[in-house]
Amino acid sequence: MSTAQICPSILAADFLKLQEQVQAAERGGALRFQVDVMDGVFVPNISFGMPLVAAMRRATNTLLEAHLMIVQPDRYLEEFARAGADLIIVHQEAAAYGLDRSIQHIKQLGKKAGVALCPATPVHVLDEIVEDLDLVLVMTVNPGFGGQKFIGYTLRKIRQMREMLDARNPQCEIEIDGGVDQQTIRAAYEAGARVFVAGTSVFGYAGGPEAGVQSLIEAAQGM
Ligand code: DX5
């Protein structure tokens, strides 16, 4: 079974020590990071935007994801690409001009394309487009805040997503986001997830980000 990839979400980081924390997470084994972009409309919270993607681009050479929890994401795809995102994730629920248009636009910008699904959105909404995706992000909380509780019914959805991708696009990654910690990660790994966005359990980990990432990798593998 392939190794779990931990994708620290900077929403939970200490912005006064961001580069230091990113480097610590990398030492722990983080191979990618996520910038959780929130507009206060699609989700009931406002976080940050392109400037922080640009700052993260300077802080790490690893794969950089921009998770756009915003309405009408098409308006900003070029700016997030220019800021340095390698992989841009739009929400199926927010792709106002049509999800296919957003995915093709991201690819025309030379970036990997991901789609995020809120917990109650069924996987079959991806039926027509699943072959075009580089990543599917199955939200395991309702997006908007860090530190929430993992929603248990999403495990069934992860298994459904795994089955769909095994049959139609085995190269596409399954990522999950929200409430991922040393207790919840193993069940999600067994359900088929391989990329784990984690904020609180990395940057809020008592032993620091390096140990937080290491402990999540071990927990995912059942060690
Ligand atoms: C969406 C946010 C959070 C964050 C991770 O709500 O994007 O999911 O990344 O939150 P934790 O790991 O603290 O639950």
Side-chain angles (χ1 to χ4, degrees):
M1 297 255 257
S2 54
T3 306
Q5 286 195 46
I6 307 306
C7 180
S9 117
I10 62 165
L11 189 67
D14 178 346
F15 297 138
L16 296 180
K17 302 188 294 185
L18 186 55
Q19 180 152 33
E20 178 188 320
Q21 294 211 315
V22 165
Q23 290 167 344
E26 285 185 28
R27 287 194 301 272
L31 301 174
R32 59 211 285 172
F33 290 83
Q34 185 181 101
V35 178
D36 333 55
V37 179
M38 301 177 186
D39 64 0
V41 179
F42 182 72
V43 293
N45 193 10
I46 295 176
S47 59
F48 26 67
M50 292 72 83
L52 207 61
V53 171
M56 279 297 292
R57 186 70 288 164
R58 296 196 304 275
T60 181
N61 294 321
T62 61
L63 188 143
L64 190 56
E65 302 182 1
H67 175 191
L68 305 186
M69 289 166 272
I70 67 175
V71 295
Q72 298 173 6
D74 304 68
R75 297 168 297 158
Y76 295 107
L77 297 177
E78 287 187 42
E79 290 183 67
F80 278 105
R82 199 177 307 123
D86 299 303
L87 189 159
I88 301 177
I89 302 167
V90 297
H91 268 263
Q92 184 275 335
E93 304 89 353
Y97 302 120
L99 190 55
D100 183 83
R101 184 193 301 270
S102 301
I103 296 304
Q104 300 317 320
H105 189 172
I106 294 169
K107 293 190 161 192
Q108 284 155 15
L109 293 167
K111 304 301 178 181
K112 288 182 181 289
V115 176
L117 301 179
C118 290
T121 302
V123 300
H124 70 67
V125 301
L126 300 177
D127 268 351
E128 304 307 322
I129 200 170
V130 69
E131 281 87 357
D132 289 347
L133 303 180
D134 297 302
L135 176 140
V136 175
L137 172 52
V138 177
M139 293 303 295
T140 43
V141 295
N142 288 297
F145 299 92
Q148 299 181 82
K149 188 174 178 311
F150 186 99
I151 297 174
Y153 70 71
T154 59
L155 287 171
R156 179 181 65 241
K157 196 170 155 185
I158 296 167
R159 283 192 286 273
Q160 290 169 346
M161 197 71 251
R162 179 75 274 158
E163 282 167 26
M164 181 191 277
L165 293 178
D166 285 350
R168 298 178 55 189
N169 185 356
Q171 302 310 312
C172 181
E173 294 182 303
I174 298 186
E175 180 175 64
I176 65 169
D177 178 355
V180 173
D181 61 23
Q182 288 75 5
Q183 283 68 49
T184 60
I185 194 168
R186 179 66 184 166
Y189 181 91
E190 289 175 333
R194 288 296 176 269
V195 186
F196 302 87
V197 175
T200 305
S201 59
V202 170
F203 296 114
Y205 191 69
E210 180 175 354
V213 172
Q214 285 170 336
S215 66
L216 285 169
I217 292 171
E218 290 165 7
Q221 317 283 146
M223 288 150 59

